[in-house]
Amino acid sequence: MNRKRSILAYEDALRYIPGGVNSPVRALKSVGETPLFIKKANKETLTDIEGNRFTDFCMSWGTGILGHAFPTVVQAAKHAVAMGSSYGIPTLRETELARLIVDKMESIRKVRFVNSGTEAVMSAIRLARGFTGRDVIVKFDGCYHGHADHLLVSAGSGAATLGASSSAGVPGAFVSCTVSLPYNDAEAVDELFKTRGREIAAIIVEPVAANMGVVLPEKDFLQHLRDVSAEYGALLIFDEVITGFRLNVGGAQQLYCVTPDLTTLGKIVGGGYPAAAFGGRDDIMALLAPDGPVYQAGTLSGNPVAMAAGIATMNELFSVNYHTKLNARADKFNAALKAIVYDQDVTVNHTGSMFTIFFSAYKVRSFADAKLCNQERFGRFFRYMLAHNIYISPSQFEANFISSAHSKRELSRFLNTVKDFFKSETQHNTNI
């Protein structure tokens, strides 16, 4: 595969952009590659500047549930751009998308739009602190909630790939009010609340972790968080930036029948454009300025182009049986994938259209488990898939995604390529 132009483009980018990328994991350092430079994307396919075509299972980190450049979303965005791309003044589209979200997510009675998942989480936590009058936030190891200073404590996603649990440049005082516990460890939650329960403003959790790879909550873990937070007067925040509208129309909270006080949304909600949101109970949301004392603002919040794309996306997702069909296809795919890897010291975690191939023979139920994976072997796997024109998320600590654009043919090709990878490993080991 010829990638000379991408290599030259990366060298040029390094002259002007730190690390040559605008988000660290895109540099592909952890998998021993240089970045792809993409010219266009359509349906399930990425085309780089060389003209190489890749079947995409990263899908802009879960954003593209409909596939790239979905016609009605493109049409809505074009129409919006033609009418002016930013006003800094309210539009009817903001209310329309807010209504669609409130109608589908029972825990959200009011919603505010922002520009990124980081902004949504940062704002939700400020709101939780303002509502409770407390300072301490509880998160879980390997759950990534954006790059706000006070949340870069045992973070997953790109921070995990870089081998750091936090970040330089973050004062100790900023993280002193954040406690990180092992995911799926209800006993650790109980111990903390027994000693510091009345200091805790909120628990924030990915109801299905996706930033240490896909890790599912164990039975009753989420309900336990709901019960403990309510007992001590803390709020429960579900970070559904990835899972919101991905698993079903009501998010992971609907799937697990647990109602949080606040929810953060992103990725899918903007239809591929920079948009995110946070929302929750009326009495909590009432504290936001201009009605209340908790300040939050943004020039591009509720951007008309992003709102138009979000509305078009929601209308597609809310069509009859959309998630039922997508999840059934994904379940069949993952069953076949598990059959291929069952004797390869590999574990597959999945739910709905999200999955991670962990290069570990052991069950992965926490960040500590995920860190035991063979990352060198994952790097070889990534490079093999890339060489066969399949692009997966370039980190062991990330989720992969199936969209409704992925054809049976491309899903089968993925499975066959995985099978060929393990055959090649066996042959290599035999020849040593």
Side-chain angles (χ1 to χ4, degrees):
M1 182 188 300
N2 185 4
R3 292 189 55 213
K4 184 177 179 180
R5 286 184 64 192
S6 282
I7 293 170
L8 292 174
Y10 183 45
E11 292 173 353
D12 192 37
L14 285 167
R15 297 172 58 195
Y16 306 104
I17 302 170
V21 294
N22 284 302
S23 190
V25 75
R26 299 177 194 175
L28 307 191
K29 285 188 175 183
S30 71
V31 290
E33 267 290 351
T34 53
L36 298 181
F37 279 73
I38 301 302
K39 180 171 68 175
K40 64 179 181 179
N42 186 56
K43 297 182 179 179
E44 79 281 20
T45 302
L46 299 171
T47 303
D48 71 6
I49 58 176
E50 303 279 1
N52 298 311
R53 289 161 58 87
F54 302 88
T55 303
D56 185 11
F57 284 84
C58 179
M59 299 306 294
S60 190
W61 308 99
T63 300
I65 191 169
L66 300 173
H68 296 291
F70 193 81
T72 58
V73 178
V74 171
Q75 184 180 10
K78 282 183 175 179
H79 179 69
V81 168
M83 298 175 70
S85 58
S86 179
Y87 312 139
I89 301 170
T91 69
L92 293 177
R93 292 193 190 100
E94 294 164 70
T95 306
E96 184 177 353
L97 184 54
R99 184 184 298 113
L100 288 170
I101 292 170
V102 169
D103 285 349
K104 295 299 182 182
M105 302 197 81
E106 291 185 7
S107 72
I108 298 179
R109 296 299 89 207
K110 293 268 178 67
V111 62
R112 178 162 287 182
F113 293 108
V114 291
N115 299 294
S116 69
T118 292
E119 273 190 71
V121 172
M122 178 184 72
S123 303
I125 286 176
R126 182 181 300 156
L127 184 55
R129 284 174 164 155
F131 183 81
T132 61
R134 302 173 183 178
D135 295 334
V136 176
I137 299 296
V138 179
K139 67 176 292 293
F140 294 92
D141 300 344
C143 287
Y144 176 73
H145 303 290
H147 60 269
D149 285 350
H150 55 280
L151 289 168
L152 286 174
V153 181
S154 190
S157 193
T161 299
L162 293 173
S165 61
S166 190
S167 170
V170 177
F174 281 36
V175 297
S176 63
C177 289
T178 303
V179 178
S180 191
L181 301 175
Y183 189 78
N184 274 325
D185 192 336
E187 290 184 8
V189 174
D190 288 342
E191 287 301 313
L192 177 65
F193 271 84
K194 284 176 184 176
T195 57
R196 302 187 67 182
R198 300 302 172 187
E199 303 172 50
I200 296 170
I203 300 172
I204 183 165
V205 64
E206 291 181 87
V208 174
N211 288 291
M212 59 180 105
V214 174
V215 178
L216 277 62
E218 297 201 331
K219 188 176 184 295
D220 298 327
F221 177 65
L222 297 177
Q223 185 59 53
H224 189 74
L225 300 184
R226 173 68 285 173
D227 295 342
V228 171
S229 58
E231 179 182 353
Y232 286 87
L235 300 187
L236 178 61
I237 305 171
F238 273 9
D239 182 345
E240 296 224 43
V241 167
I242 291 176
T243 57
F245 304 113
R246 161 65 62 176
L247 302 181
N248 56 27
V249 295
Q253 57 197 260
Q254 183 185 70
L255 183 65
Y256 290 98
C257 301
V258 177
T259 303
D261 301 297
L262 290 170
T263 299
T264 61
L265 301 167
K267 309 281 187 189
I268 291 169
V269 79
Y273 290 78
F278 65 100
R281 290 174 9 205
D282 276 313
D283 58 331
I284 301 172
M285 297 299 288
L287 266 67
L288 278 175
D291 292 341
V294 177
Y295 192 74
Q296 180 276 327
T299 297
L300 293 173
S301 296
N303 174 267
V305 181
M307 296 296 98
I311 291 165
T313 300
M314 293 300 109
N315 286 335
E316 294 293 335
L317 298 185
F318 298 163
S319 62
V320 177
N321 294 329
Y322 177 87
H323 287 91
T324 301
K325 294 174 184 175
L326 177 60
N327 291 341
R329 185 188 307 176
D331 286 345
K332 185 176 180 180
F333 167 86
N334 279 289
L337 180 59
K338 290 178 181 180
I340 291 169
V341 307
Y342 81 97
D343 60 349
Q344 299 292 339
D345 290 337
V346 167
T347 296
V348 175
N349 281 5
H350 91 282
T351 182
S353 54
M354 304 163 52
F355 71 98
T356 297
I357 302 171
F358 289 104
F359 281 80
S360 171
Y362 304 104
K363 182 178 180 180
V364 178
R365 61 180 292 274
S366 69
F367 192 34
D369 296 334
K371 289 193 292 185
L372 296 175
C373 291
N374 187 332
Q375 294 189 56
E376 182 181 346
R377 194 177 178 209
F378 174 81
R380 293 198 301 270
F381 175 69
F382 176 89
R383 294 190 296 274
Y384 187 91
M385 299 299 280
L386 190 69
H388 289 79
N389 298 87
I390 294 174
Y391 185 73
I392 61 173
S393 295
S395 167
Q396 177 65 99
F397 305 114
E398 293 285 1
N400 297 293
F401 301 92
I402 296 170
S403 75
S404 51
H406 283 92
S407 66
K408 290 182 180 179
R409 177 176 175 273
E410 290 300 338
L411 294 176
S412 295
R413 190 170 75 87
F414 182 100
L415 295 170
N416 289 331
T417 308
V418 171
K419 192 181 299 182
D420 291 342
F421 167 76
F422 289 115
K423 284 181 182 177
S424 72
E425 272 203 325
T426 302
Q427 291 170 356
H428 175 76
N429 292 336
T430 301
N431 293 332
I432 291 176

